[in-house]
Amino acid sequence: MSEISIKTPSFNHLSAADLDLIYAPSEDTFLLIDALEKDLKEIFKLEPCICLEIGVGSGVVITALGSALGPSSLYFGTDVNEFACKKAEETAHLNGVTLKTFCCNFVDSVPDSVKGSIDVLIFNPPYVVTESDEILSSPLASAWAGGEKGREVIDKLFPSLSSILSPRGVFYLLLEKNNKPKEVSSILEQFGIFKSQAVIDNGHGKKNCRV
Ligand SMILES: C[S@@+](CC[C@H](N)C(=O)[O-])C[C@H]1O[C@@H](n2cnc3c(N)ncnc32)[C@H](O)[C@@H]1O
């Protein structure tokens, strides 16, 4: 157990109408914050300059990390949902964290000066097993619908991971058992440079892996 704790950011500003349009902070959101808290000493040791959350949603996760680490790092978020990007910046601002977001697929619109220099990368992806065509059926569906094995979105990120992370970068990815975490580990190892381990397993099939 880490001796340093992470405060859950306040997100009272998100109205019911907002939460009809973006992914509401949920059990998996808080599990990811718990995983970051568990690893916080290691993250501090890394002295990260750039932290980025893909699929930033409400902004609660990157804001929690930003509150714990402070302004020595820069914080970025991306989301395919433009409204989520706006709300995430608000969440960060209201909790004293400066966050710059980009509305894009993964990190496609993030400046090259940031890509390749990300020390802490976070993703709570759309991981639920669904029909493939559900993935893009609505902005909210694209928050959770993951297609076959719940991996259709996640798998598309893996080939570019090595060019997104800095040489010392770590990647926190939330998975559940239907996503076949062991298979994900071996796919990542095939890309050559990754070693992965589970940080938290909540016993109900959801895991956070650090890569
Ligand atoms: C499960 S939600 C997580 C939201 C928030 N990070 C949290 O933990 O509460 C997944 C988020 O990823 C976004 N998303 C889905 N596919 C994406 C992609 N290809 N690139 C960027 N964001 C994506 C969704 O819009 C959604 O906000």
Side-chain angles (χ1 to χ4, degrees):
M1 184 79 178
S2 169
E3 291 150 28
I4 327 165
S5 61
I6 289 192
K7 201 170 128 237
T8 301
S10 149
F11 52 90
N12 296 335
H13 63 292
L14 298 173
S15 67
D18 292 339
L19 297 174
D20 281 342
L21 300 172
I22 65 170
Y23 189 80
S26 307
E27 186 197 353
D28 49 7
T29 312
F30 300 116
L31 190 65
L32 191 46
I33 294 175
D34 288 346
L36 294 170
E37 180 175 61
K38 195 163 177 220
D39 257 16
L40 202 53
K41 267 192 184 166
E42 300 306 315
I43 297 175
F44 264 115
K45 273 191 219 153
L46 200 65
E47 298 184 351
C49 296
I50 296 183
C51 302
L52 185 145
E53 183 179 7
I54 296 174
V56 71
S58 63
V60 162
V61 178
I62 191 79
T63 298
L65 183 65
S67 302
L69 296 181
S72 55
S73 173
L74 298 175
Y75 302 97
F76 298 95
T78 71
D79 208 292
V80 286
N81 179 340
E82 194 163 9
F83 189 62
C85 288
K86 180 173 173 273
K87 288 289 147 185
E89 287 192 3
E90 270 177 37
T91 302
H93 179 71
L94 291 169
N95 287 277
V97 173
T98 303
L99 174 72
K100 168 82 182 140
T101 61
F102 298 89
C103 179
C104 63
N105 181 41
F106 299 136
V107 293
D108 289 357
S109 303
V110 173
D112 288 342
S113 55
V114 172
K115 274 189 250 179
S117 305
I118 299 169
D119 298 314
V120 179
L121 180 70
I122 305 166
F123 195 18
N124 176 8
Y127 58 77
V128 178
V129 178
T130 62
E131 295 298 323
S132 299
D133 56 9
E134 249 183 282
I135 295 176
L136 295 173
S137 61
S138 73
L140 214 47
S142 67
W144 52 267
E148 195 186 340
K149 294 187 209 169
R151 289 249 306 274
E152 287 188 36
V153 177
I154 311 170
D155 281 358
K156 290 196 179 98
L157 174 67
F158 296 150
S160 53
L161 264 184
S162 59
S163 61
I164 294 173
L165 286 168
S166 74
R168 65 202 169 121
V170 289
F171 175 38
Y172 291 87
L173 173 66
L174 188 136
L175 296 172
E176 60 125 3
K177 66 174 188 302
N178 290 316
N179 305 142
K180 307 202 179 312
K182 283 196 178 139
E183 199 176 288
V184 169
S185 291
S186 55
I187 292 172
L188 289 171
E189 279 163 26
Q190 281 163 29
F191 285 107
I193 54 168
F194 301 113
K195 287 204 188 317
S196 55
Q197 67 182 84
V199 178
I200 287 189
D201 184 340
N202 76 348
H204 302 293
K206 291 210 178 78
K207 277 180 196 294
N208 276 296
C209 298
R210 178 184 56 211
V211 177

